[in-house]
Amino acid sequence: METPSSDYVASTLLLEVQFTMADTQTPREQLKSIRFRLGITTREVADFSQKIAEAEGNPEFHISNAWLTQVENSDSVPSIFKLYSLSSIYRIKFTDLLLLYGLDLQHLSRNQMDSPLPDTHLTNLEVYDQERTVSFPIRFDRSFDIDNTNLLSRLVEVWGEVPIALIQHLDIRHGLYGYIGLHDMTLYPLLRPGSFVQIDPSVRKVQPMRWRTEFDRPIYFVELRDGYACSWCELQDGHLLLLPHPLSPRGVRRLAHGTEAEIVGQVTAVAMTLAPLAPARDAAARLPKQV
């Protein structure tokens, strides 16, 4: 069998862009279009796949001329072995071929989070496509004061596309997240200064519920006239009480509900360091690095 020509190899460099632009085509149409652009016949695909099958020691990798013709003209779904061969021959990422048939591996981590297991176990956050990106803050507002509690969206000056799997399931640009200021000791040591919190904006009223421990007690992110606060809350005679942790040096704050204080949402998740933050030497050292 002949080695692929230089034209065949060069044409694969354009396929990824063209592949992503063909979303309106059906899978069979896209597969046929890719093969046509590569300038190879179904018989050549069969020959290439035979080498793969021999190398892998599994005949399932082989793609016959008749099988490929059927797939390109019907709604048949290839097996994982034949998709692998097509990925190799067509120079298309395997993950892109899976997407072609409606299977996005990046949804695995999200689906795992929706199906929590009862027992403690090891897990991973794997990147199946290193080139895919997510929105992430790459420059903070120059007026960002890390000593005070604030909403993350108001601290970001420039958003960028960052290929990182750890935050790929988060919608940071459009979601609601808060930052606990380095001087905000309201819920310390339960919620350390410098922490980031995720906020559910659909819960904007104090929930009348019982809790067994302080970890079960609802935490709220509150907008004030001059900033934000993150604390336990109670309503009393039209006033919102911002309740600190018993070990916190802060006292209870009593503010007029709706005019002096308004609940932004309930805190649903937190990301914080367990080690105490080292004190900054000066104000400039505490500012985020400008990009």
Side-chain angles (χ1 to χ4, degrees), residues 56-161:
E56 298 296 330
N58 187 343
E60 291 293 329
F61 287 96
H62 178 252
I63 297 173
S64 68
N65 179 32
W67 180 91
L68 184 55
T69 300
Q70 177 186 348
V71 168
E72 290 183 350
N73 292 277
S74 69
D75 293 329
S76 299
V77 178
S79 68
I80 56 174
F81 302 102
K82 288 179 170 52
L83 277 178
Y84 177 94
S85 295
L86 289 175
S87 173
S88 174
I89 297 167
Y90 290 171
R91 308 305 197 265
I92 294 294
K93 289 185 294 185
F94 188 73
T95 52
D96 280 346
L97 284 181
L98 292 177
L99 277 173
L100 190 64
Y101 289 93
L103 182 58
D104 189 346
L105 293 183
Q106 294 301 154
H107 291 174
L108 275 176
S109 59
R110 186 183 67 188
N111 293 333
Q112 289 171 353
M113 294 179 66
D114 291 338
S115 306
L117 300 178
D119 295 335
T120 301
H121 60 282
L122 292 174
T123 186
N124 59 29
L125 291 173
E126 186 173 358
V127 180
Y128 295 97
D129 187 347
Q130 298 285 348
E131 298 177 6
R132 295 182 66 179
T133 60
V134 290
S135 295
F136 198 74
I138 59 175
R139 180 182 298 169
F140 287 90
D141 193 314
R142 295 181 184 273
S143 61
F144 174 19
D145 183 1
I146 63 175
D147 290 335
N148 296 315
T149 298
N150 211 326
L151 289 173
L152 179 60
S153 59
R154 299 191 180 183
L155 307 179
V156 178
E157 185 175 274
V158 177
W159 292 89
E161 297 296 319

Side-chain angles (χ1 to χ4, degrees), residues 182-203:
L182 295 182
H183 289 176
D184 190 345
M185 303 288 288
T186 304
L187 285 181
Y188 180 86
L190 180 65
L191 196 58
R192 291 177 178 268
S195 301
F196 285 92
V197 295
Q198 185 177 31
I199 305 165
D200 180 1
S202 66
V203 182

Side-chain angles (χ1 to χ4, degrees), residues 270-284:
V270 58
M272 70 177 180
T273 176
L274 296 180
L277 294 174
R281 295 182 180 178
D282 52 56

Side-chain angles (χ1 to χ4, degrees), residues 13 16 21-22 29 42 44 55 93 101 111 116-117 134 138 172 179 194 199 207 216:
L13 299 177
E16 184 172 348
M21 295 174 63
E29 290 172 336
T42 56
E44 287 175 317
K93 289 185 294 185
Y101 289 93
N111 293 333
L117 300 178
V134 290
I138 59 175
I172 297 181
Y179 168 80
I199 305 165
Q207 301 299 302
D216 301 326

